[in-house]
Amino acid sequence: MKEKLAILLLVIYLFGSTDAYQLLKLPLLAGHYVKHKSESPYMTLGSFFKMHYIDPQPFDNDYKQDMRLPFKTVLNVYGRNLPTDLTIIPHINFRAPVKNTGLPVALNDNISPLLLTYTIFQPPRA
């Protein structure tokens, strides 16, 4: 029983919040193809799809039937996604750094790096 309820809820969700409800229009697609095939017997399934989904739709006698085909019109009722192409152009400076002509840099190469940590890392005292 739980499995059937889960499937029912999944189907309700898919048909309500996605474009899966367009699959219910497949019988209209088949009937429309049969109508076109009877009018012009040379029409293939590929040319039917090309005429209705790729080529621009002319305003002819069956324009309303063409717009009722699956995935021709989509309800945009549900939430929108934020645009993913937000472009942030970083500022890049291509100039060479200016040398400081003020005080000379003081380097002390006489101190060993081991001595710098000597006062921090010592064994525990009693």
Side-chain angles (χ1 to χ4, degrees):
M1 184 65 183
K2 287 182 183 179
E3 183 178 311
K4 290 181 181 180
L5 180 65
I7 291 172
L8 176 69
L9 291 175
L10 179 66
V11 167
I12 290 172
Y13 170 74
L14 286 176
F15 281 95
S17 63
T18 64
D19 288 333
Y21 71 92
Q22 296 281 339
L23 296 175
L24 297 173
K25 296 180 179 181
L26 286 177
L28 293 173
L29 180 74
H32 197 66
Y33 174 69
V34 168
K35 180 183 152 223
H36 276 286
K37 186 78 172 171
S38 67
E39 291 174 359
S40 54
Y42 61 88
M43 179 175 284
T44 63
L45 188 63
S47 62
F48 173 78
F49 280 124
K50 181 181 178 294
M51 178 174 54
H52 285 90
Y53 288 99
I54 297 174
D55 294 341
Q57 279 300 306
F59 290 102
D60 53 359
N61 296 337
D62 68 342
Y63 179 76
K64 286 185 180 180
Q65 288 179 346
D66 292 345
M67 289 298 117
R68 289 177 50 205
L69 294 176
F71 302 106
K72 289 292 283 187
T73 58
V74 180
L75 293 177
N76 293 324
V77 184
Y78 296 99
R80 299 274 186 192
N81 292 334
L82 291 175
T84 57
D85 58 344
L86 294 175
T87 54
I88 300 172
I89 301 172
H91 176 70
I92 301 173
N93 191 0
F94 290 106
R95 294 187 211 160
V98 179
K99 290 190 175 187
N100 189 0
T101 57
L103 298 174
V105 178
L107 295 176
N108 192 354
D109 293 336
N110 297 335
I111 300 175
S112 170
L114 296 174
L115 295 176
L116 294 175
T117 59
Y118 179 73
T119 58
I120 298 173
F121 300 106
Q122 293 183 0
R125 297 181 188 171

